């Protein structure tokens, strides 16, 4: 079986959204995904890290898709936290196609340890898995889909060397089109802000209608819950940094709806690679997600862990977003301007980036009272296609 035939088998089994990080063992699969995306068959989102791919896949599933995530087995280490505190915590179905470098101890030195611990690591995380073998691909992919849906969690197909046959040479995917020049950002206000995050969240929420909002973990989601609990709110409990990745996956899965992410400076700094993915046009042969609204509440601190300084104090994240290709990027420091900026972003083509300068003040708020599965189910119902 070739990589193209394997991707066709995925689609036959109902998998309809693809993302991941390349590996030479999956070269034919990636090439086929790029070509099928160009033909408009299924979206393929090249990710800059494996944990970001898992976040994108999570958002796609919340939007009604069934995702496949391609990664090398070394990516299991990169994405362990996302697997445990996102995919497994919220019980999100999907298929991980994991290439097995270091298989049988025959590979370059940097792959040998990972090759040896691959299956024990999957067992430790509670991820059901099979090893793809020649002649058994149809049964293995059918098993993976059935188990992912039955267990409501990711399952893994391991791809060792020499299982897939080389594909016949085909034209490469076309080069992406040139994006407009980066937008100019206004100078940052020099005076310190007196806007609390709670008041900023209240202003942002007042500008919303029925838009789905993915919340960063920590006080962003807890204060937003206290402002107004909404079925369209997805509250992150773990996986710091991945709220923007989840929002991107949802925006791509549901291009008919505006998707909003309430992010924090510390969260975004842990996932800066998401900015060029959004601004550069994340899916092969598709433009930037015009329905993506990225709101970052920046207090220059890691508030949930005791107020340690974050690197955002010396960086204009709105200028970084503009340089990465966001269509709109601005810095806000008053509630009135924020409410207007969110309303304007929801009415215009994006992607839009709004950085909100807030104080270090933390409003006394409770923890989110819902279980991860309750958060998942009510959100998915709220954003379901009518």
């Amino acid at each position: 079986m070739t990589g193209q035939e394997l991707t066709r088998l995925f689609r036959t089994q109902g998998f309809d959204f693809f993302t991941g990080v390349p590996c030479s063992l999956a070269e034919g699969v990636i090439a086929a995904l790029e070509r099928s995306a160009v033909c408009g068959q299924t979206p393929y989102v090249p990710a800059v890290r494996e944990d970001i791919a898992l976040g994108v896949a999570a958002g796609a599933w919340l939007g009604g898709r069934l995702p496949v995530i391609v990664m090398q087995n070394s990516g299991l280490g990169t994405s362990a936290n996302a697997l445990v505190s996102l995919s497994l915590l919220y019980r999100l179905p999907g298929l991980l196609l994991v290439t097995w470098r270091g298989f049988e101890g025959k590979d370059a030195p940097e792959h040998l340890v990972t090759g040896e611990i691959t299956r024990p690591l999957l067992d430790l995380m509670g991820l059901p898995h099979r090893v793809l073998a020649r002649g058994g691909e149809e049964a293995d992919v059918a098993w993976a889909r059935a188990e992912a849906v039955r267990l409501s969690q990711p399952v893994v197909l391991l791809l060792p060397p020499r299982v897939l046959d080389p594909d016949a040479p085909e034209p490469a995917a076309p080069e992406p089109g040139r994006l407009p020049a980066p937008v100019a950002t206004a100078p940052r206000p020099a005076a310190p802000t007196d806007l609390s995050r709670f008041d900023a969240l209240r202003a942002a929420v007042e500008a919303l209608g029925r838009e789905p909002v993915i919340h960063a973990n920590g006080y962003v989601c807890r204060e937003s819950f206290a402002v107004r609990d909404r079925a369209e709110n997805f509250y992150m409990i773990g996986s710091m940094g991945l709220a923007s990745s989840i929002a991107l996956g949802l925006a791509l899965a549901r291009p008919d709806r505006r998707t909003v992410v309430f992010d924090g400076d510390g969260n975004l700094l842990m996932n800066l690679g998401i900015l060029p993915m959004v601004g550069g046009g994340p899916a092969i042969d598709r433009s930037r997600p015009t329905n993506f609204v990225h709101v970052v509440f920046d207090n220059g601190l890691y508030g949930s862990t005791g107020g340690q300084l974050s690197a955002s104090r010396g960086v204009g994240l709105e200028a970084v977003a503009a340089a990465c290709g966001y269509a709109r990027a601005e810095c806000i420091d008053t509630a009135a301007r924020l409410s207007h900026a969110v309303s304007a972003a929801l009415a215009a083509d994006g992607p839009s980036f709004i950085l909100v300068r807030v104080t270090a003040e933390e409003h006394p708020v409770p923890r989110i009272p819902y279980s991860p599965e309750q958060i998942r189910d009510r959100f998915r119902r709220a954003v379901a296609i009518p």
Side-chain angles (χ1 to χ4, degrees):
M1 179 172 285
T2 66
Q4 183 171 351
E5 290 168 336
L6 183 59
T7 57
R8 190 179 300 126
L9 183 56
F10 288 148
R11 292 196 296 272
T12 300
Q13 285 292 333
F15 294 101
D16 57 359
F17 189 97
F18 298 85
T19 183
V21 178
C23 173
S24 58
L25 296 186
E27 181 180 359
V29 173
I30 299 296
L33 290 176
E34 291 177 343
R35 289 193 295 271
S36 66
V38 168
C39 296
Q41 293 174 320
T42 46
Y44 169 59
V45 182
V48 297
R49 285 171 54 103
E50 293 84 358
D51 51 355
I52 294 178
L54 283 165
V56 171
W61 183 84
L62 290 169
R65 300 289 191 130
L66 187 59
V68 173
I69 305 97
V70 183
M71 67 173 71
Q72 190 180 106
N73 54 345
S74 61
L76 292 172
T78 305
S79 56
N81 181 56
L83 284 165
V84 172
S85 67
L86 174 61
S87 307
L88 291 172
L89 179 68
Y90 289 92
R91 305 202 67 81
L92 305 174
L95 166 60
L96 275 65
L97 179 67
V98 178
T99 60
W100 197 345
R101 298 302 302 264
F103 180 68
E104 295 181 342
K106 300 171 184 177
D107 211 326
E110 65 270 21
H111 295 298
L112 298 182
V113 172
T114 302
E116 184 177 354
I117 68 171
T118 292
R119 297 192 78 169
L121 184 58
L122 294 174
D123 289 334
L124 184 64
M125 290 190 287
L127 292 170
H129 57 277
R130 281 189 179 184
V131 181
L132 272 170
R134 283 179 175 271
E137 298 93 345
E138 274 193 56
D140 289 337
V141 174
W143 167 85
R145 186 194 187 283
E147 286 295 279
V149 172
R150 182 180 72 86
L151 298 173
S152 191
Q153 70 161 78
V155 300
V156 177
L157 289 177
L158 288 168
L159 176 62
R162 297 176 297 280
V163 170
L164 295 180
D165 295 321
D167 286 278
E170 292 195 34
E175 292 293 320
R178 294 183 62 85
L179 294 172
V183 296
T185 56
R188 286 189 140 212
T193 183
D194 59 1
L195 178 64
S196 72
R197 182 177 51 220
F198 188 83
D199 288 339
L201 281 161
R202 182 157 47 199
V205 169
E206 285 175 355
L208 297 174
R210 297 293 303 278
E211 294 83 10
V213 182
I214 308 296
H215 289 70
N217 69 325
Y219 275 96
V220 168
C221 69
R222 291 169 62 179
E223 290 184 356
S224 180
F225 170 82
V227 168
R228 188 198 306 167
D229 181 32
R230 306 162 66 244
E232 295 86 1
N233 285 357
F234 186 84
Y235 301 115
M236 283 294 297
I237 297 174
S239 286
M240 182 171 176
L242 289 186
S244 51
S245 303
I246 299 168
L248 175 58
L250 178 61
L252 294 172
R254 293 298 308 276
D256 57 308
R257 297 190 68 168
R258 289 288 192 266
T259 294
V260 182
V261 53
F262 285 173
D263 217 343
D265 55 304
N267 268 269
L268 180 56
L269 287 167
M270 292 187 76
N271 188 11
L272 273 178
I274 197 66
L275 296 180
M277 284 182 63
V278 172
I284 293 292
D285 206 44
R286 297 194 182 190
S287 60
R288 300 177 296 187
T290 58
N291 59 330
F292 189 84
V293 179
H294 198 164
V295 185
V296 179
F297 301 91
D298 184 359
N299 62 3
L301 299 171
Y302 293 101
S304 298
T305 56
Q308 299 86 0
L309 299 181
S310 87
S312 71
R313 285 174 169 256
V315 178
L317 291 171
E318 74 282 4
V320 178
C324 287
Y326 277 68
R328 304 156 56 91
E330 56 188 317
C331 178
I332 301 293
D333 63 356
T334 69
R337 288 186 63 207
L338 174 58
S339 183
H340 178 268
V342 172
S343 296
L346 292 173
D349 282 346
S352 299
F353 187 95
I354 303 168
L355 186 120
V356 191
R357 296 171 64 228
V358 295
T359 67
E361 177 187 346
E362 291 177 351
H363 201 80
V365 289
R367 291 188 178 274
I368 305 299
Y370 308 121
S371 71
E373 292 180 24
Q374 288 174 319
I375 296 170
R376 175 200 68 189
D377 290 344
R378 72 173 200 152
F379 180 82
R380 200 168 194 238
R381 285 194 298 269
V383 301
I385 297 173

